[in-house]
Amino acid sequence: MPPLAVHCHSLTKTYGSGEAAVPALRGVNLDVARGELLMLVGPSGCGKTSLISIIATLADPDSGTCEVLGQDVAQLDALGRARFRNQAVGFVFQVFNLLPTLTVVENIAVPMLIAGRSRKYAELRAADLAERVGLSERRDAPSRELSGGQQQRVAIARALACEPRLLICDEPTSSLDHETGQSMMELLQREAKVPDRAVIVVTHDPRIFGFADRIARMDDGRIVSAEEMSVNA
C-alpha cells in the first residue's frame, strides 16, 4: 500500500454540552493513501464537514488522533498549523471566500504571496492556473463580477496555487454545470496522481463518483463503508 497522506484513528467530536450536546463524529477511522482521490459521501449532518475540518487542521477532535502527511496535527500550535496549511494543504470551501475587489489572478496569487513567493512568480503561476480552470478570458475581472460557477473555479485554482500535497474539496462541483463539473473533476483526478499528493472530495453529486479511486460513506458520525472503484472516468 502507498504511504498514507491521512491517518485518522478513533476521532470523536461533539458540539455543545449537556442536553444540547450534538455528537458529530463517533470514533471515525479513515486512511487516505498518497496518490488517491477519495470521495467522502453521506447525508447532510453526518459529520463530513467536521471530519475534513479536523484533517485540514481547522478544528480539533475531542479525542482520537489525526496524522496528516506524517504530522500529528495536535502537536502544532496555531502558528505551526497556519504554516502547515499554507505549505501542505489546499482547501476548497463551500463558501468560496474570494476577495471581491481582487481579480481572478490576484485571488489565485494570494496564498503564494503569503508563502513568500515573488509577485512575478505568483502572477505567472496564477495566470496559468486561471487558464487550466478555463478562466483565462476573465483573468483580470474582479471576483465580484463572476458567476457562482466561475468563483468556484477560482477557488479550485487558488487551492492548487502552492502545490499542496493534500487537497481537500468541499462540494467542488456544487455551482457547476455538468460539462464544467466533469472538466474540474478531470483536473482533480490528474492532481491526485502527482507524486506524493492525495485529494479528498466531499460531495453529494453522484455524477462524479466515477472519478474516485475509493468512496467512503459516512452516516451518523461514522464511516460505514469504503469501497474501491473499479473503473475511473
Side-chain angles (χ1 to χ4, degrees):
M1 182 177 180
L4 294 178
V6 176
H7 174 62
C8 299
H9 178 68
S10 298
L11 292 181
T12 67
K13 182 71 174 179
T14 297
Y15 297 98
S17 60
E19 294 183 358
V22 178
L25 301 178
R26 304 171 184 260
V28 168
N29 297 307
L30 179 68
D31 289 339
V32 183
R34 303 188 193 210
E36 178 177 37
L37 193 158
L38 175 90
M39 285 190 185
L40 192 61
V41 305
S44 297
C46 71
K48 302 186 300 296
T49 298
S50 294
L51 177 56
I52 61 172
S53 295
I54 291 170
I55 293 171
T57 78
L58 296 169
D60 290 316
D62 295 332
S63 63
T65 58
C66 182
E67 293 183 6
V68 180
L69 302 169
Q71 172 68 56
D72 182 352
V73 296
Q75 302 304 312
L76 297 174
D77 60 16
L79 180 59
R81 291 185 184 206
R83 287 174 175 166
F84 182 74
R85 284 193 300 271
N86 182 253
Q87 295 170 0
V89 181
F91 202 111
V92 180
F93 297 88
Q94 284 195 59
V95 178
F96 309 133
N97 295 326
L98 302 182
L99 297 171
T101 61
L102 298 189
T103 67
V104 166
V105 164
E106 289 168 342
N107 266 288
I108 298 170
V110 165
M112 292 181 279
L113 296 174
I114 292 173
R117 306 307 295 261
S118 72
R119 182 169 295 276
K120 181 178 180 180
Y121 171 87
E123 290 177 349
L124 287 172
R125 177 159 171 76
D128 177 66
L129 286 166
E131 182 175 1
R132 290 174 65 189
V133 298
L135 290 173
S136 57
E137 294 183 356
R138 301 286 282 159
R139 53 173 287 173
D140 296 321
S143 66
R144 64 174 178 240
E145 297 180 4
L146 303 179
S147 69
Q150 289 171 333
Q151 290 185 33
Q152 188 156 45
R153 284 184 277 162
V154 175
I156 292 170
R158 183 184 57 187
L160 291 169
C162 291
E163 301 181 274
R165 286 180 287 155
L166 177 63
L167 181 63
I168 303 172
C169 305
D170 196 356
E171 302 287 357
T173 61
S174 61
S175 296
L176 303 179
D177 60 57
H178 176 72
E179 182 178 354
T180 306
Q182 295 288 299
S183 175
M184 290 303 97
M185 286 309 305
E186 288 171 1
L187 171 63
L188 295 178
Q189 190 179 55
R190 289 193 297 271
E191 291 298 324
K193 302 310 176 189
V194 172
D196 202 35
R197 181 172 290 170
V199 176
I200 300 173
V201 173
V202 172
T203 186
H204 287 97
D205 186 355
R207 299 174 300 174
I208 67 172
F209 286 0
F211 289 96
D213 294 303
R214 194 160 52 102
I215 293 180
R217 299 183 184 276
M218 287 193 74
D219 195 15
D220 196 26
R222 298 180 176 89
I223 302 289
V224 296
S225 68
E227 60 187 277
E228 302 281 344
M229 300 298 288
S230 58
V231 178
N232 285 345

